[in-house]
Amino acid sequence: MNTAKPQKSNRINAPTPNGPHSWTSLVGVALHARVEARRRKLADFDYWQKNTQSIQLKELSKLIETCKHTRIGQRGNFTSVLTHQEPMDRLNAFRSQLPVTDWYAFQEDIIDMRERGISDVLWPGKVMHFAQTSGTTAGDKYIPVTESMMRSNYLASLDIFAHMINRGSHPERIMGGRCLFLGGSTDLDYNEHGVATGDLSGLVTPLIKWPLSMIYSPGPEIALLDHWPSKIEAMAQLAIDQDIRFISGMPSWALVLIDRVIELANERGINAKCARDVWPNLEAFVHGGVNYEPFVARMCTAYSGDANIDFPCRQELYPASEGFIAMQDQDNDPSMRLLTDNGIFYEFVPLDQIDDEDPDVFTCWQVEKGQKYVVVMTTNAGLWRYVIGDVVKFDSIPDGIQPDGTMRIGDGPARLRIVGRHRHFINAFGENLIGEHIEHGIAAAVAASGLTIGEFTAAPVYPSTNNRAGLEVAVEFESKPTADQLHQFAAIFDETVKAENVDYTTKRSEGLGMDFPTLTPMPMGTFHRWLDAKGKLGGQHKCPRCANHRDILGEVLGAASAW
């Protein structure tokens, strides 16, 4: 299988707008001063290459020391673990006490913390905040959000601006206008113990105080809304009259908002074809949560009117309810720098061993480039050797001691890319597809065909008397494609996936196994209707790129309207 790093984009960034300063630019001046030392440290790639191992082991020791008297500390015999003086010996002792596990291993602990208000369970004291997170294929989960985690998320948000400054985008200019955040509802539910539960946005937004409130949009009233169509409409009606210079959110919702703002502008008699016709000082788009490549042409068009002209600054993040994991630190490079000194210890399990009883586990300085790993986190929110489900590949690796005891010299800070979810795969016929293959195939087909798409998902086609085994990909198109366009799109998708996956190629060879892929077109908005029907519209909810069954695809197709 081809594991080469994707080529850097040939798109160009638009010139940085020279937005005028205002009194709120002083907020940017203060922010720049606040992150200046950190900015210089982050720019020192050599420091992070040489010191990531020691930094991560210190983070682990701090977590163990902090929780040695909690329930998890007693369960994991942390006091004994701390008797090991050598950091690698301490790591091995820690691993021997606690297995790699998932949320359900902590479910009873979290019930005690959240529903009964019990202290000193997974983290010292009483945890007063929980983030509610739900996938599209499982029930709701509740993730503890401690004061320490809130502090880590705050520091991570500062790192966003530190990296942006290093890349030439300055907060003094951006904060001369407004920063628009497309987050989830800020509404919180409190129980009899005073414990709050809600979207992570709802836990963080109340921390926005003056003077940051002067640059924050859409403001607390609109942020409180949980009906996303109404929320987008309210945001558009407000933001069209604001000097928006920074947008943060998922690409799919940013597109919906921008389309509506352009529509409103034209209703007012403004000849607007793209976002910068309405917001000429718009400079930065910060996004995360999904692979951006399938959206890039459409986002460029929405911003500039040209599929090859990107935002002046686009910053990709890797956030999760469990903690802030990584962020982009270089121009035109999809790799994201792991946040290694921010209260989280990371481990990585090879994808093909994630269901083993005793899998191999590696640190970020022990991984291999091009291999797929499932992310495992030990956090300052009280999650211990917790599998978050994301599959990543590394593009650069720091120096460090290897499992055999030898020292390996790396090639930079720990940088990675998300390539899928370990429970989102297709292997009905031995084809071994993951989300990355589907995304790369779709991206190549979009680039070659010039068609504009939205969301997409894939599922197996099971053999019957009427059809052979195969793959079906359901894709939202801006306008109904012709039969020839669909065939060309499917052919390019097929050839791209073949080039990346030898198992798929084998199953597709000579027409003996899997048939030519079925491409099912759908109108834009189909996936949003599906999410709405499941009560999961908005925020960070999204559709899996693939599944090893037809349940999701069937529901999505049921939500599709006629052209």
Side-chain angles (χ1 to χ4, degrees):
M1 186 182 299
N2 182 4
T3 59
K5 181 177 175 180
Q7 294 298 307
K8 295 181 180 180
S9 172
N10 291 324
R11 291 182 176 86
I12 63 171
N13 296 95
T16 301
N18 189 24
H21 286 62
S22 69
W23 79 263
T24 56
S25 297
L26 294 174
V27 178
V29 172
L31 177 60
H32 196 147
R34 172 68 175 82
V35 303
E36 179 57 24
R38 178 69 171 175
R39 178 196 69 77
R40 291 195 299 268
K41 189 173 185 179
L42 289 171
D44 185 355
F45 295 168
D46 188 59
Y47 169 83
W48 296 98
Q49 176 182 328
K50 293 179 178 178
N51 293 286
T52 290
Q53 174 181 306
S54 63
I55 290 169
Q56 273 282 277
L57 292 172
K58 286 177 183 175
E59 293 292 333
L60 177 62
S61 291
K62 285 190 290 186
L63 293 167
I64 296 171
E65 177 69 35
T66 299
C67 292
K68 63 183 178 183
H69 297 307
T70 63
R71 180 191 295 178
I72 190 69
Q74 294 169 1
R75 188 188 305 164
N77 202 10
F78 285 2
T79 301
S80 174
V81 170
L82 290 167
T83 63
H84 294 269
Q85 298 302 309
E86 289 296 324
M88 290 299 293
D89 291 342
R90 184 173 292 176
L91 170 59
N92 291 331
F94 169 72
R95 287 172 167 172
S96 71
Q97 295 293 328
L98 293 177
V100 171
T101 191
D102 60 15
W103 183 87
Y104 295 98
F106 300 111
Q107 185 171 13
E108 290 304 316
D109 295 316
I110 290 174
I111 289 173
D112 282 345
M113 297 164 68
R114 177 176 168 270
E115 299 181 12
R116 303 185 180 110
I118 297 176
S119 301
D120 302 323
V121 180
L122 297 176
W123 192 257
K126 184 177 178 181
V127 178
M128 301 303 296
H129 300 94
F130 287 80
Q132 183 174 356
T133 178
S134 57
T136 50
T137 59
D140 290 343
K141 299 177 183 178
Y142 301 97
I143 305 298
V145 181
T146 62
E147 292 299 321
S148 295
M149 177 57 74
M150 294 281 253
R151 174 68 177 172
S152 291
N153 286 345
Y154 164 71
L155 293 175
S157 70
L158 295 180
D159 277 3
I160 295 172
F161 288 98
H163 283 305
M164 288 176 65
I165 293 169
N166 281 334
R167 298 175 59 203
S169 191
H170 293 275
E172 299 93 328
R173 184 172 55 240
I174 289 174
M175 293 182 182
R178 289 273 184 162
C179 298
L180 179 62
F181 291 85
L182 304 176
S185 172
T186 60
D187 195 18
L188 300 177
D189 291 325
Y190 290 85
N191 65 15
E192 65 271 26
H193 303 289
V195 175
T197 300
D199 190 280
L200 188 59
S201 301
L203 302 174
V204 174
T205 301
L207 302 178
I208 300 174
K209 307 293 185 183
W210 189 91
L212 290 178
S213 59
M214 299 303 298
I215 60 157
Y216 165 71
S217 189
E221 290 186 7
I222 295 176
L224 187 68
L225 299 175
D226 58 7
H227 181 249
W228 268 80
S230 299
K231 188 171 190 171
I232 288 292
E233 179 65 20
M235 283 186 179
Q237 294 283 355
L238 174 72
I240 191 173
D241 293 315
Q242 295 180 324
D243 181 10
I244 301 297
R245 302 188 182 190
F246 172 107
I247 298 175
S248 175
M250 290 181 63
S252 57
W253 284 111
L255 284 167
V256 173
L257 175 70
I258 290 172
D259 286 348
R260 180 55 181 149
V261 168
I262 293 171
E263 187 177 80
L264 288 173
N266 281 281
E267 289 175 2
R268 293 185 179 188
I270 301 170
N271 184 21
K273 295 183 174 61
C274 59
R276 65 179 179 180
D277 289 339
V278 181
W279 299 316
N281 298 318
L282 178 57
E283 178 173 343
F285 179 48
V286 175
H287 60 91
V290 295
N291 186 334
Y292 191 75
E293 187 59 29
F295 293 94
V296 64
R298 194 167 167 224
M299 282 300 303
C300 287
T301 302
Y303 164 69
S304 67
D306 188 323
N308 289 310
I309 299 178
D310 207 342
F311 288 81
C313 178
R314 183 165 54 77
Q315 181 84 7
E316 186 162 2
L317 312 178
Y318 183 2
S321 297
E322 297 84 357
F324 211 122
I325 298 170
M327 64 184 68
Q328 184 180 0
D329 68 334
Q330 297 184 109
D331 285 334
N332 302 315
D333 191 328
S335 299
M336 291 178 283
R337 171 105 67 96
L338 199 65
L339 275 67
T340 53
D341 64 342
N342 202 21
I344 299 174
F345 179 75
Y346 301 95
E347 297 175 276
F348 302 89
V349 175
L351 176 59
D352 59 4
Q353 297 184 37
I354 191 59
D355 292 319
D356 293 356
E357 185 175 340
D358 185 25
D360 293 329
V361 186
F362 302 96
T363 60
C364 66
W365 60 91
Q366 295 174 334
V367 293
E368 299 292 338
K369 288 184 182 180
Q371 299 300 311
K372 298 184 182 73
Y373 297 95
V374 179
V375 181
V376 178
M377 296 166 61
T378 293
T379 79
N380 55 8
L383 298 175
W384 300 86
R385 306 200 77 197
Y386 173 88
V387 176
I388 67 168
D390 292 325
V391 179
V392 300
K393 289 181 181 179
F394 279 81
D395 291 323
S396 64
I397 302 168
D399 302 349
I401 297 173
Q402 301 307 292
D404 63 4
T406 61
M407 181 69 179
R408 182 177 68 183
I409 303 301
D411 58 356
R415 293 193 183 95
L416 50 73
R417 289 172 286 124
I418 307 170
V419 299
R421 299 277 294 174
H422 83 275
R423 297 299 182 203
H424 295 163
F425 62 89
I426 302 177
N427 195 28
F429 318 110
E431 63 272 46
N432 287 316
L433 296 174
I434 65 171
E436 181 186 35
H437 299 129
I438 306 301
E439 289 172 332
H440 286 180
I442 291 291
V446 167
S449 68
L451 296 175
T452 300
I453 71 159
E455 298 285 354
F456 54 90
T457 194
V461 174
Y462 297 109
S464 68
T465 55
N466 297 320
N467 52 259
R468 288 168 38 204
L471 178 73
E472 181 174 3
V473 188
V475 184
E476 290 180 339
F477 288 92
E478 188 173 53
S479 57
K480 187 175 181 179
T482 66
D484 287 344
Q485 287 175 321
L486 282 176
H487 182 80
Q488 180 198 24
F489 196 100
I492 296 167
F493 171 90
D494 188 45
E495 290 304 317
T496 302
V497 177
K498 283 181 181 178
E500 293 196 0
N501 187 314
V502 66
D503 293 323
Y504 178 79
T505 302
T506 301
K507 300 303 180 292
R508 286 276 297 115
S509 294
E510 301 178 9
L512 299 176
M514 295 173 64
D515 204 354
F516 186 77
T518 299
L519 185 67
T520 303
M522 302 178 301
M524 291 288 195
T526 298
F527 282 89
H528 285 170
R529 283 192 293 276
W530 172 69
L531 286 169
D532 193 19
K534 297 178 74 67
K536 300 182 185 300
L537 185 65
Q540 296 295 314
H541 300 307
K542 46 193 175 286
C543 181
R545 291 308 186 207
C546 60
N548 202 36
H549 53 76
R550 292 188 60 83
D551 297 350
I552 293 172
L553 181 62
E555 291 177 359
V556 169
L557 294 177
S561 61
W563 286 92

